[in-house]
Amino acid sequence: MRTRLLRSLAPALLVVTWSSGFVGATFAAPVAPATTTLLWRYVVAAPLMLVIVLLLRRRYGPRYLRREAVLGALGQAGYLYGVFRAVEEGLPAGTAALLASLQPALVAVVLSGFGRRGGRRQAVGLAVGFAGVALAVGPDAVAGTGVDGALWALAGMLSLSAAAVLGDLWPAPDRERHDVLDSLAVQGVVALGFFGLVAFASGQAAPPADPSFWLAIAWLVGLAFLGGYGMYLYVLRTRGPVAVSTWLYLTPAVSAAWAWAMFGEHLPLLTVAGFAISLAGVLVVRSPRARAEPAPSPASARS
C-alpha cells in the first residue's frame, strides 16, 4: 500500500522538490559563488549518504559502481555545473528553463532510435508541454540572451538527457538489491569529487562566514538533493526516462510559485496559464499503458 501511494505521489513530489533548488540557489547567490555552493552541498550530502549505506551494510560490485559513477557525472555534476554556469553568465532564469524544457523531446527522439516508440499521443503531449513552458516563462525569455550562458544551459540539459537515456538503456546489475538510496550515495560521491576539483582549481572552495549560506546548504541538501534527486531517480526507475523528463515541464512555473511565496516576487497570470497547459501536456504523455503498469517490487522501490 505504501509503495503504491509513493508511486502515485512521486511525480508531484518530484516537481515541488526539484523546483526548490531555485530557492536554495537564491539564498546562496548573494554570499557565495555557484561553485562554492555546489561543493559544500555535496560536502554535506555525500558523507551523509555514505554513513547511511555503511550502517545498512550495503555492498556494491564494480559494474554497479561504474554505471552509477557515469550517471552521477552526467545527471548531477554535469547538469548542475551547466545550469549554475549559465546563471553566472547572466542567462535569465526563464531562458534557462526554456532551454532545459527541450529535454523531454530530445530524450524521446533518442530513445525512438533504439526502438522505444512513443507514438502520436506522446508527440502531441510533448509539444503541448513545451508550449506551456514557453508561456510560463514569458515572451521576454530570450531577450538579451548571451551566447555563452545559453551554451552552458544547453550543455547542462544535454548532460541530464544523456543520464536519463543511459539509465534506461544500461541495465543496472542486481537491480533488486539496489535502490534509490544506493544511487544517491554513489552519485553524490562522484559529484563531490567533481565539484571539489573545480572549486580548488578556481580558488573558490572556502565557504563564506555568512549564516545564510549554511541555511542555503541545508535547503539544497534536504530538499533539492535528497528530495529532488531522490524523486527524480525514483520516477526514472518506476516510470521511465520520457515520463520523468516530461514532469520537469512543470518546474519553471512551480519555481516561480516558490519565488512568489518565499521572496514576494511577482507571479504573472501567464505563468499560471502556462503551468495549466504544461500539466495538460504531461497528462497526455502519460499513456493508458503507463498508468496501468504494475508497481515495482518493494525491493526495487525503496527510497
Side-chain angles (χ1 to χ4, degrees), residues 253-268:
V254 176
S255 293
W258 273 111
W260 169 74
M262 300 291 294
F263 308 115
E265 295 186 11
H266 179 56
L267 185 63

PDB file of all heavy atoms in Angstrom, residues 253-268:
ATOM      1  N   ALA A 253       7.178  26.905 -13.789  1.00  0.00           N
ATOM      2  CA  ALA A 253       6.054  27.595 -13.146  1.00  0.00           C
ATOM      3  C   ALA A 253       6.071  27.380 -11.633  1.00  0.00           C
ATOM      4  O   ALA A 253       5.778  28.307 -10.862  1.00  0.00           O
ATOM      5  CB  ALA A 253       4.732  27.110 -13.730  1.00  0.00           C
ATOM      6  N   VAL A 254       6.418  26.178 -11.186  1.00  0.00           N
ATOM      7  CA  VAL A 254       6.465  25.917  -9.750  1.00  0.00           C
ATOM      8  C   VAL A 254       7.617  26.687  -9.107  1.00  0.00           C
ATOM      9  O   VAL A 254       7.506  27.160  -7.972  1.00  0.00           O
ATOM     10  CB  VAL A 254       6.564  24.406  -9.468  1.00  0.00           C
ATOM     11  CG1 VAL A 254       6.712  24.133  -7.983  1.00  0.00           C
ATOM     12  CG2 VAL A 254       5.327  23.697 -10.007  1.00  0.00           C
ATOM     13  N   SER A 255       8.730  26.839  -9.822  1.00  0.00           N
ATOM     14  CA  SER A 255       9.833  27.665  -9.315  1.00  0.00           C
ATOM     15  C   SER A 255       9.372  29.110  -9.135  1.00  0.00           C
ATOM     16  O   SER A 255       9.738  29.772  -8.149  1.00  0.00           O
ATOM     17  CB  SER A 255      11.015  27.619 -10.288  1.00  0.00           C
ATOM     18  OG  SER A 255      11.590  26.330 -10.334  1.00  0.00           O
ATOM     19  N   ALA A 256       8.566  29.600 -10.076  1.00  0.00           N
ATOM     20  CA  ALA A 256       8.018  30.955  -9.945  1.00  0.00           C
ATOM     21  C   ALA A 256       7.105  31.051  -8.730  1.00  0.00           C
ATOM     22  O   ALA A 256       7.078  32.078  -8.037  1.00  0.00           O
ATOM     23  CB  ALA A 256       7.262  31.333 -11.214  1.00  0.00           C
ATOM     24  N   ALA A 257       6.366  29.977  -8.459  1.00  0.00           N
ATOM     25  CA  ALA A 257       5.496  29.973  -7.274  1.00  0.00           C
ATOM     26  C   ALA A 257       6.324  29.982  -5.993  1.00  0.00           C
ATOM     27  O   ALA A 257       5.981  30.649  -5.015  1.00  0.00           O
ATOM     28  CB  ALA A 257       4.577  28.750  -7.308  1.00  0.00           C
ATOM     29  N   TRP A 258       7.437  29.226  -5.988  1.00  0.00           N
ATOM     30  CA  TRP A 258       8.368  29.271  -4.851  1.00  0.00           C
ATOM     31  C   TRP A 258       8.849  30.710  -4.635  1.00  0.00           C
ATOM     32  O   TRP A 258       8.886  31.217  -3.503  1.00  0.00           O
ATOM     33  CB  TRP A 258       9.583  28.387  -5.117  1.00  0.00           C
ATOM     34  CG  TRP A 258       9.480  26.942  -4.750  1.00  0.00           C
ATOM     35  CD1 TRP A 258       9.439  25.874  -5.596  1.00  0.00           C
ATOM     36  CD2 TRP A 258       9.457  26.376  -3.435  1.00  0.00           C
ATOM     37  NE1 TRP A 258       9.372  24.693  -4.906  1.00  0.00           N
ATOM     38  CE2 TRP A 258       9.388  24.973  -3.566  1.00  0.00           C
ATOM     39  CE3 TRP A 258       9.486  26.927  -2.157  1.00  0.00           C
ATOM     40  CZ2 TRP A 258       9.355  24.113  -2.474  1.00  0.00           C
ATOM     41  CZ3 TRP A 258       9.450  26.059  -1.059  1.00  0.00           C
ATOM     42  CH2 TRP A 258       9.375  24.680  -1.222  1.00  0.00           C
ATOM     43  N   ALA A 259       9.271  31.366  -5.717  1.00  0.00           N
ATOM     44  CA  ALA A 259       9.794  32.732  -5.618  1.00  0.00           C
ATOM     45  C   ALA A 259       8.725  33.690  -5.104  1.00  0.00           C
ATOM     46  O   ALA A 259       9.015  34.607  -4.318  1.00  0.00           O
ATOM     47  CB  ALA A 259      10.306  33.197  -6.979  1.00  0.00           C
ATOM     48  N   TRP A 260       7.489  33.496  -5.522  1.00  0.00           N
ATOM     49  CA  TRP A 260       6.385  34.335  -5.045  1.00  0.00           C
ATOM     50  C   TRP A 260       6.150  34.120  -3.545  1.00  0.00           C
ATOM     51  O   TRP A 260       5.991  35.074  -2.783  1.00  0.00           O
ATOM     52  CB  TRP A 260       5.122  33.995  -5.837  1.00  0.00           C
ATOM     53  CG  TRP A 260       3.877  34.588  -5.269  1.00  0.00           C
ATOM     54  CD1 TRP A 260       3.475  35.892  -5.321  1.00  0.00           C
ATOM     55  CD2 TRP A 260       2.858  33.883  -4.531  1.00  0.00           C
ATOM     56  NE1 TRP A 260       2.270  36.049  -4.671  1.00  0.00           N
ATOM     57  CE2 TRP A 260       1.871  34.839  -4.178  1.00  0.00           C
ATOM     58  CE3 TRP A 260       2.698  32.562  -4.147  1.00  0.00           C
ATOM     59  CZ2 TRP A 260       0.732  34.483  -3.457  1.00  0.00           C
ATOM     60  CZ3 TRP A 260       1.570  32.208  -3.429  1.00  0.00           C
ATOM     61  CH2 TRP A 260       0.612  33.166  -3.088  1.00  0.00           C
ATOM     62  N   ALA A 261       6.170  32.847  -3.118  1.00  0.00           N
ATOM     63  CA  ALA A 261       5.891  32.539  -1.720  1.00  0.00           C
ATOM     64  C   ALA A 261       7.045  32.920  -0.794  1.00  0.00           C
ATOM     65  O   ALA A 261       6.819  33.402   0.327  1.00  0.00           O
ATOM     66  CB  ALA A 261       5.580  31.051  -1.567  1.00  0.00           C
ATOM     67  N   MET A 262       8.290  32.719  -1.259  1.00  0.00           N
ATOM     68  CA  MET A 262       9.453  32.924  -0.386  1.00  0.00           C
ATOM     69  C   MET A 262      10.008  34.336  -0.439  1.00  0.00           C
ATOM     70  O   MET A 262      10.495  34.857   0.564  1.00  0.00           O
ATOM     71  CB  MET A 262      10.558  31.931  -0.766  1.00  0.00           C
ATOM     72  CG  MET A 262      10.164  30.474  -0.637  1.00  0.00           C
ATOM     73  SD  MET A 262       9.947  29.935   1.076  1.00  0.00           S
ATOM     74  CE  MET A 262      11.612  30.071   1.691  1.00  0.00           C
ATOM     75  N   PHE A 263       9.961  34.954  -1.622  1.00  0.00           N
ATOM     76  CA  PHE A 263      10.632  36.240  -1.798  1.00  0.00           C
ATOM     77  C   PHE A 263       9.701  37.358  -2.246  1.00  0.00           C
ATOM     78  O   PHE A 263      10.148  38.475  -2.497  1.00  0.00           O
ATOM     79  CB  PHE A 263      11.771  36.097  -2.823  1.00  0.00           C
ATOM     80  CG  PHE A 263      12.703  34.961  -2.507  1.00  0.00           C
ATOM     81  CD1 PHE A 263      12.798  33.870  -3.360  1.00  0.00           C
ATOM     82  CD2 PHE A 263      13.479  34.977  -1.362  1.00  0.00           C
ATOM     83  CE1 PHE A 263      13.649  32.815  -3.074  1.00  0.00           C
ATOM     84  CE2 PHE A 263      14.335  33.932  -1.070  1.00  0.00           C
ATOM     85  CZ  PHE A 263      14.413  32.841  -1.918  1.00  0.00           C
ATOM     86  N   GLY A 264       8.407  37.064  -2.364  1.00  0.00           N
ATOM     87  CA  GLY A 264       7.454  38.092  -2.742  1.00  0.00           C
ATOM     88  C   GLY A 264       7.560  38.531  -4.185  1.00  0.00           C
ATOM     89  O   GLY A 264       7.077  39.615  -4.534  1.00  0.00           O
ATOM     90  N   GLU A 265       8.182  37.691  -5.032  1.00  0.00           N
ATOM     91  CA  GLU A 265       8.300  38.054  -6.445  1.00  0.00           C
ATOM     92  C   GLU A 265       6.944  37.954  -7.133  1.00  0.00           C
ATOM     93  O   GLU A 265       6.064  37.196  -6.723  1.00  0.00           O
ATOM     94  CB  GLU A 265       9.326  37.156  -7.146  1.00  0.00           C
ATOM     95  CG  GLU A 265      10.741  37.352  -6.632  1.00  0.00           C
ATOM     96  CD  GLU A 265      11.757  36.562  -7.442  1.00  0.00           C
ATOM     97  OE1 GLU A 265      11.383  36.036  -8.516  1.00  0.00           O
ATOM     98  OE2 GLU A 265      12.921  36.472  -7.009  1.00  0.00           O
ATOM     99  N   HIS A 266       6.784  38.733  -8.206  1.00  0.00           N
ATOM    100  CA  HIS A 266       5.516  38.763  -8.946  1.00  0.00           C
ATOM    101  C   HIS A 266       5.268  37.415  -9.623  1.00  0.00           C
ATOM    102  O   HIS A 266       6.184  36.806 -10.182  1.00  0.00           O
ATOM    103  CB  HIS A 266       5.580  39.874  -9.993  1.00  0.00           C
ATOM    104  CG  HIS A 266       4.342  39.984 -10.827  1.00  0.00           C
ATOM    105  ND1 HIS A 266       3.085  40.174 -10.292  1.00  0.00           N
ATOM    106  CD2 HIS A 266       4.169  39.926 -12.185  1.00  0.00           C
ATOM    107  CE1 HIS A 266       2.192  40.224 -11.263  1.00  0.00           C
ATOM    108  NE2 HIS A 266       2.822  40.083 -12.414  1.00  0.00           N
ATOM    109  N   LEU A 267       4.023  36.950  -9.534  1.00  0.00           N
ATOM    110  CA  LEU A 267       3.623  35.702 -10.186  1.00  0.00           C
ATOM    111  C   LEU A 267       2.630  36.040 -11.294  1.00  0.00           C
ATOM    112  O   LEU A 267       1.430  36.192 -11.055  1.00  0.00           O
ATOM    113  CB  LEU A 267       2.985  34.744  -9.177  1.00  0.00           C
ATOM    114  CG  LEU A 267       2.611  33.349  -9.692  1.00  0.00           C
ATOM    115  CD1 LEU A 267       3.851  32.593 -10.142  1.00  0.00           C
ATOM    116  CD2 LEU A 267       1.877  32.558  -8.619  1.00  0.00           C
ATOM    117  N   PRO A 268       3.099  36.154 -12.540  1.00  0.00           N
ATOM    118  CA  PRO A 268       2.211  36.566 -13.634  1.00  0.00           C
ATOM    119  C   PRO A 268       1.126  35.535 -13.918  1.00  0.00           C
ATOM    120  O   PRO A 268       1.327  34.327 -13.718  1.00  0.00           O
ATOM    121  CB  PRO A 268       3.169  36.704 -14.831  1.00  0.00           C
ATOM    122  CG  PRO A 268       4.538  36.748 -14.252  1.00  0.00           C
ATOM    123  CD  PRO A 268       4.478  35.945 -12.987  1.00  0.00           C
TER     124      PRO A 268
END
